[in-house]
């Protein structure tokens, strides 16, 4: 029998004294390229404190803390309106929360992503990642260029250990071990009567890839915030849009992207397709939104190309993307004054208020064509609702509410205002009516209001003319976005996942084989393995290597075990002979009863 064994951390023999590993052994047992962290300041004075602070900042622990703080710091930007996205919503929020608004303003909570404290966390995380990546990369390159660490002096200290004796030549055993290890894709080298091998570098590659990917992800977000811009535009069917500042409804730029950087293109909205579910539990749910357009690039608006824009399927033109973000209806009305002159005609967008596209809007007629007794021009305004599918009737309790988002039975509900058309010089919201200085028309002692179906008209009270509901058109709202860092951030996110998989599932490990000639002429073969984490894989690999190595270095029987086995066999034979003699005596002498109580 051989003395092959697996030892989970055997200690040195008692008579060898306390064992102190040398520098080579400590290097052999170190399976990471991460910089060694110190527990306190090194050196003396300011330089020592700066060095210690830098090591703390570039440690993995601090990087994870900063990443967690960055995620926490981004929460207010999702819950509180931001100036960069919707300044009007910020003003409305401040008006509704007058107590806490000054506090939020002081802590820059309306500009979270450009605030001092958010930028400080961002920059510190950048610095920490850079300080962590650079030394690890340099050390990893050095590890790849260097030979695997030599075998420790005492292999029995390793977590996995096996040994046996053979009559093969030590050099032949080491050569066989070198060949087998390389066959298993270990990076192996023979030196000093032993073979050192190492495997699992993809773990550190994955670790470095993860760090680099996080750095790229943050860099992509930073570049996107510094060189991005977006604008919004509502376009009615049969109308067009040119990507210029004057045609955008709103625009948000950045430090390196302004109105002069807008790509030169435009498009015409030929039609819009909206399809909804008509039955089942999800009746009314949208099933298709498609804007059918013809677009052009550059300054030549005659070279048109057909295209479709759908939700989550933007049109990409140059470095810009055109996203479809909304849809609604624009009632087409014609307003005539008392002389029968047309003073307004065309579609007016109404904004949806619910999932069934109950829409509100205002039709403003700034020049009615008449003046009041003071010579001031008169303006008319109509405020109301557009219902794509109107109920049979409704009252003040239920209010006008659409039953379905498609135009199964459209209805326009209006009331009228009249007032001075003087210009206050302040900007007005085209979708809302400022009724200050205007008078609501009344009829028969009640507020004047009307329900119109397509083709119907209303004769206004007090001889102010007529309004006719000619029909409706659909509109679509688009966002023109320029974000150059998205591709960098996406690539960083994908690579971070791949790197994390490599760092979690690849195990870095080392195996040493040593063959030494013994005084009795035999050869002692020792195998030892070391892995960074507790895993059965290194023990399995060592056992497989030991089995494969038996072809070149077959194990010898242990003399002590052979002698003990022979002695046991001799004792077993003697016992069997005595039993046979007793049996023979019993069968040949029937006068001696086998049972003392027998009557024979």
């Amino acid at each position: 029998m051989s003395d092959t064994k697996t030892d989970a951390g055997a200690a040195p023999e008692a008579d060898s004294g306390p064992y102190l590993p040398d520098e080579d052994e400590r290097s052999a047992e170190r399976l990471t390229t991460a910089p060694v962290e110190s527990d306190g300041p090194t050196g003396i004075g300011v330089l020592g404190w700066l060095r210690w602070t830098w090591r703390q900042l570039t440690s993995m622990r601090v990087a994870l803390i900063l990443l967690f703080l960055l995620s926490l710091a981004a929460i207010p930007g999702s819950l509180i309106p931001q100036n960069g996205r919707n300044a009007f919503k910020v003003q409305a929020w401040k008006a509704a929360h007058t107590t806490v608004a000054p506090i939020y303003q002081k802590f820059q909570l309306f500009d979270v992503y450009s605030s001092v404290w958010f930028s400080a966390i961002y920059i510190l995380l950048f610095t920490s990642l850079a300080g962590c990546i650079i030394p690890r990369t340099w050390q990893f390159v050095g590890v790849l260029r260097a030979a695997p660490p030599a075998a420790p002096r005492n292999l029995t200290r390793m977590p996995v250990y096996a040994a046996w004796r053979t009559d093969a030549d030590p050099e032949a055993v080491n050569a066989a071990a070198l060949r087998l290890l390389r066959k298993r894709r270990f990076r192996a080298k023979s030196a000093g009567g032993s073979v050192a091998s190492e495997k699992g570098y993809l773990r550190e590659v994955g670790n470095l890839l993860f760090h680099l990917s996080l750095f790229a992800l943050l860099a992509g977000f930073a570049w996107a915030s510094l060189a991005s811009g977006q604008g919004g535009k509502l376009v009615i069917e049969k109308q067009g849009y040119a990507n210029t500042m004057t045609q955008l409804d709103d625009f948000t730029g950045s430090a390196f992207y302004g109105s002069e950087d807008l790509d030169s293109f435009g498009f015409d909205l030929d039609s819009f397709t909206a399809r909804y579910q008509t039955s089942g539990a999800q009746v009314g749910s949208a099933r298709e939104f498609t804007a059918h357009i013809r677009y052009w690039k550059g300054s030549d608006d005659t070279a048109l190309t057909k295209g479709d824009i759908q939700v989550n399927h933007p049109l990409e033109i140059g470095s810009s993307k055109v996203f479809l973000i909304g849809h609604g209806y624009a009632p087409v009305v014609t307003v005539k004054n008392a002389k029968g002159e047309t003073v307004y005609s065309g579609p007016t967008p109404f904004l949806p208020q619910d999932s069934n596209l109950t829409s509100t809007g205002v039709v403003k007629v700034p020049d009615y064509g008449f003046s009041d007794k003071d010579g001031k021009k008169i303006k008319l305004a109509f405020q109301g609702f557009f219902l794509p599918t109107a109920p049979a009737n409704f009252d003040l309790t239920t209010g006008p509410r659409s039953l379905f988002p498609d135009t199964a039975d459209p209805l326009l509900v209006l009331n009228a205002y009249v007032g001075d058309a003087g210009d206050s010089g302040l900007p007005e919201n085209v979708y809302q009516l400022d009724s200050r200085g205007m008078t609501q028309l009344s009829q028969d002692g009640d507020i004047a209001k009307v329900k119109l179906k397509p083709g119907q008209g209303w004769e206004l009270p007090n001889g102010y003319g007529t309004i006719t509901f000619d029909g409706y058109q659909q509109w679509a709202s688009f966002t023109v976005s320029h974000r150059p860092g998205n591709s960098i951030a996406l690539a960083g996110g994908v690579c971070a996942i791949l790197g994390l998989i490599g760092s979690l599932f690849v195990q870095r490990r080392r195996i040493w084989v040593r063959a030494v000639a013994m005084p009795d002429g035999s050869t002692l073969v020792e195998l030892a393995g070391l892995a960074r984490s507790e895993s059965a894989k290194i023990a399995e690999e060592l056992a497989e290597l030991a089995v494969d190595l038996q072809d070149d270095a077959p194990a010898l029987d242990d003399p002590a075990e052979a002698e003990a086995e022979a002695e046991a066999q001799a004792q077993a034979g003697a016992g069997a002979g005595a039993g046979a003699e007793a049996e023979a005596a019993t069968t040949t002498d029937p006068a001696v009863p086998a049972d003392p109580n027998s009557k024979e």
Side-chain angles (χ1 to χ4, degrees), residues 101-239:
I103 301 175
Y104 284 21
Q105 184 71 33
K106 184 177 181 179
F107 288 98
Q108 298 178 302
L109 294 182
F110 298 112
D111 300 279
V112 168
Y113 303 110
S114 59
S115 62
V116 175
W117 49 271
F118 189 87
S119 301
I121 300 175
Y122 208 88
I123 294 172
L124 283 175
L125 183 57
F126 258 106
T127 307
S128 179
L129 286 175
C132 183
I133 290 171
I134 294 174
R136 286 185 80 121
T137 304
W138 184 254
Q139 290 186 19
F140 183 60
V141 171
V143 169
L144 290 178
R145 297 178 61 184
R153 186 173 51 187
N154 189 354
L155 290 178
T156 59
R157 296 180 61 251
M158 295 297 105
V160 184
Y161 175 80
W164 70 89
R165 290 177 180 267
T166 182
D167 57 2
D169 182 70
E171 294 184 1
V173 175
N174 287 334
L178 181 65
R179 172 176 50 82
L180 291 173
L181 286 169
R182 287 179 175 174
K183 184 178 179 180
R184 293 174 176 273
R185 298 182 180 179
F186 276 81
R187 194 167 66 98
K189 183 180 180 180
S190 177
S194 63
V195 178
S197 64
E198 193 169 17
K199 189 177 182 180
Y201 290 98
L202 284 178
R203 179 185 182 92
E204 191 63 24
V205 172
N207 203 347
L208 290 174
L209 179 61
F210 177 75
H211 285 77
L212 288 170
S213 300
L214 282 182
F215 195 84
L217 189 66
L218 293 175
F221 285 141
W223 178 242
S225 63
L226 291 174
S228 65
Q230 67 176 21
K233 178 61 179 178
L234 186 148
V235 183
I236 303 174
E237 284 180 319
K238 310 303 179 184
Q239 296 184 7

Side-chain angles (χ1 to χ4, degrees), residues 372-406:
D372 59 11
K373 60 182 180 179
D374 296 328
K376 297 180 179 180
K377 291 183 178 181
I378 297 175
K379 69 175 179 180
L380 287 177
F382 302 89
Q383 187 177 37
F385 296 84
F386 176 77
L387 312 180
T389 301
N393 53 64
F394 54 84
D395 53 26
L396 294 177
T397 303
T398 60
R401 290 289 184 270
S402 177
L403 303 177
F404 191 73
D406 207 355

